[in-house]
Amino acid sequence: MAAAAWDRADTGAPMTGVEHNPTPPRTNLDGSTRRPDSFASLRIRNYRIYTLGQSISVVGNWMQNVAVGWMTLQLTHSGTMLGLVIGARYLPVLLFGAWGGLVVDRHDTCRLLALTQIWFAVQAALLTVLSAAHLVTLPLLIVIMLTLGLTNLFDGPARQKLISELVDAEHLTNAVAVNSTFVNTAKLVGPGAAGFVITALGVAPCFALDTVSFLAVLVSLAMLRTPEMHPSEREVRAKGQIRAGLTHIRRTPELLYPMFMVYVTGIFTWEFPVSLPLLTTSAFHSGPAGYGAATALMSAGGVLGGFAAMRRRHLSTRSLSLSALIWGALICAAALAPSLPVALALLVLVGAGSITFNATAKTLMQVGAAPQMRGRVMAIWSIGWMGGTVIGAPTVGAIGASFGPRNALLAGGMAAAGVGILVLLLTSAARRTKEDPVG
């Protein structure tokens, strides 16, 4: 949920202000050296209103996510089936995500988002009725998840792109970090509330609350002042535009390395909706309250990580690699925890690491992407971060079913740490080659 020099060379490489020379003084991504203001972007009315509406909606959305996961386990008692249900939601993003980003680049972002919120609300209302009437079956749930995925084709990149249209370039870095913090604050409330609601009333009220939550985004969109926005030029329909977006990423190292790390972690690491319920229910024999607590504490850590990200001035591929390495090590420690309380404590740190990594990656790509390419760049990011779940969720679920629930989480930690080390080695080798081309 940074001011950059947008002029580019013919190669498409952005002038992002990201430091490649470690010599002090370090600068912000906007090129300044002043001390950053953690909440600078919230002084902008449009961004403040939209962030509030989105945060309310995320609370409902995470209540739905927890309800879907719990309902699937109750129907199937299978981690593999849980992975398939979650993966179904992201299959359309995996298959058609780049096209969805192109559609976003061609159309008015606010109008497109209003349409996606209406359709999300309709789908949540359908889940409310079906679950209340005890008519939900596994095939029906998979179909509903597929329709949610079709809506996400446009909703995900549109949400990311809208941030850059609500703030000027100077505040973009801070706005991305603030958005991550507020979203994770909402995620702190949503899963915890879902655990208590499911225990007391069942899953149907979770879907009902999610239905209502989409009104918050619709109201916030209606309240935006159009003259104060910074819309990018819409892409005119032409041939080869998806390929142009891919080429832009390939020719821009500030986009290519973060994107590679996002794809690896998106497929194997960011599968907590699969690995956490397996860990809490199978390894520690806890109920829905335990799963809700695990997700809520991860989100609490995410809030802490978000606050840290809001104050960061110097972002680079190296800092992202170190974030991945530390994040992966923390996940491995949580997977090997001897008891649920120890695991929950470590998940706070895992949550902080996840948002530090995610906010850094999104900021590098938002700042590094050409404005007219931003929808496609963020859609390709969505393919890895969300669409990768189509592959990752069943894989992680199968690992948990075959080798034990702890190994499902452990595999994700090893993937994050491994890709962090790999990119550190690649970028260090490239830097040495650049400094000493003869040697």
Side-chain angles (χ1 to χ4, degrees):
M1 354 196 116
W6 295 117
D7 297 330
R8 286 164 171 76
D10 292 340
T11 60
M15 299 170 63
T16 64
V18 175
E19 294 279 356
H20 294 286
N21 186 350
T23 304
R26 289 182 173 182
T27 62
N28 300 328
L29 286 179
D30 63 359
S32 69
T33 57
R34 65 183 180 277
R35 186 175 182 178
D37 181 352
S38 296
F39 299 98
S41 57
L42 289 177
R43 294 195 179 97
I44 301 172
R45 177 188 178 275
N46 279 349
Y47 180 73
R48 184 171 63 249
I49 290 173
Y50 170 71
T51 300
L52 177 61
Q54 186 192 25
S55 299
I56 294 172
S57 179
V58 171
V59 172
N61 184 249
W62 270 90
M63 291 187 73
Q64 174 178 285
N65 289 344
V66 172
V68 167
W70 187 253
M71 187 165 52
T72 302
L73 285 176
Q74 293 299 300
L75 287 172
T76 67
H77 304 284
S78 169
T80 302
M81 290 299 104
L82 175 62
L84 288 174
V85 169
I86 294 174
R89 179 171 183 173
Y90 301 108
L91 179 61
V93 175
L94 178 66
L95 297 178
F96 310 111
W99 173 74
L102 179 58
V103 171
V104 171
D105 281 334
R106 289 175 176 173
H107 292 85
D108 182 271
T109 310
C110 288
R111 292 180 181 177
L112 196 59
L113 269 178
L115 291 175
T116 61
Q117 302 315 295
I118 292 171
W119 187 237
F120 276 140
V122 170
Q123 293 166 325
L126 177 61
L127 278 171
T128 303
V129 174
L130 291 174
S131 58
H134 304 287
L135 297 176
V136 178
T137 62
L138 182 63
L140 182 58
L141 192 58
I142 290 175
V143 170
I144 293 174
M145 291 299 103
L146 284 170
T147 61
L148 285 172
L150 288 171
T151 313
N152 273 328
L153 278 178
F154 316 107
D155 184 77
R159 283 178 183 269
Q160 299 298 327
K161 185 181 179 183
L162 184 61
I163 295 174
S164 65
E165 296 184 353
L166 296 177
V167 302
D168 53 26
E170 179 183 355
H171 292 92
L172 179 57
T173 298
N174 180 257
V176 173
V178 168
N179 179 260
S180 296
T181 303
F182 273 71
V183 166
N184 279 276
T185 303
K187 285 166 61 177
L188 172 64
V189 178
F196 290 114
V197 170
I198 293 172
T199 301
L201 303 172
V203 296
C206 291
F207 298 129
L209 291 170
D210 184 41
T211 304
V212 176
S213 73
F214 291 111
L215 294 176
V217 180
L218 291 171
V219 170
S220 70
L221 291 173
M223 293 176 64
L224 297 180
R225 294 173 180 170
T226 304
E228 298 177 10
M229 295 180 65
H230 309 271
S232 58
E233 184 178 349
R234 296 187 198 175
E235 190 72 283
V236 179
R237 186 183 298 271
K239 292 182 178 180
Q241 290 176 316
I242 294 177
R243 184 170 63 252
L246 294 170
T247 301
H248 177 55
I249 294 171
R250 179 172 57 84
R251 292 180 176 178
T252 309
E254 292 85 355
L255 298 176
L256 181 61
Y257 283 123
M259 195 71 77
F260 172 59
M261 285 187 276
V262 163
Y263 268 66
V264 172
T265 56
I267 292 173
F268 297 107
T269 309
W270 195 255
E271 304 304 339
F272 299 113
V274 177
S275 57
L276 286 187
L278 288 175
L279 185 72
T280 56
T281 59
S282 299
F284 296 119
H285 309 289
S286 180
Y291 173 39
T295 312
L297 286 171
M298 263 198 66
S299 296
V303 174
L304 299 176
F307 278 117
M310 285 191 293
R311 298 194 62 82
R312 295 183 70 182
R313 296 189 306 170
H314 180 73
L315 300 179
S316 65
T317 301
R318 178 179 173 80
S319 65
L320 182 64
S321 301
L322 290 172
S323 295
L325 174 57
I326 296 170
W327 183 34
L330 290 169
I331 293 171
C332 291
L336 300 174
S339 65
L340 181 59
V342 174
L344 293 177
L346 287 167
L347 286 175
V348 175
L349 300 177
V350 170
S354 69
I355 298 310
T356 300
F357 174 83
N358 191 23
T360 302
K362 284 198 295 186
T363 300
L364 289 173
M365 286 186 281
Q366 287 265 30
V367 174
Q372 70 274 16
M373 294 277 189
R374 194 168 285 130
R376 275 161 287 178
V377 169
M378 298 314 297
I380 294 168
W381 165 82
S382 297
I383 294 174
W385 195 246
M386 296 188 293
T389 297
V390 177
I391 301 171
T395 301
V396 170
I399 290 173
S402 301
F403 303 102
R406 291 179 182 273
N407 288 304
L409 190 60
L410 187 63
M414 294 175 65
V419 75
I421 293 171
L422 176 60
V423 173
L424 277 174
L425 294 174
L426 290 174
T427 53
S428 296
R431 185 169 59 251
R432 287 195 300 270
T433 301
K434 184 177 180 180
E435 292 173 353
D436 187 18
V438 178

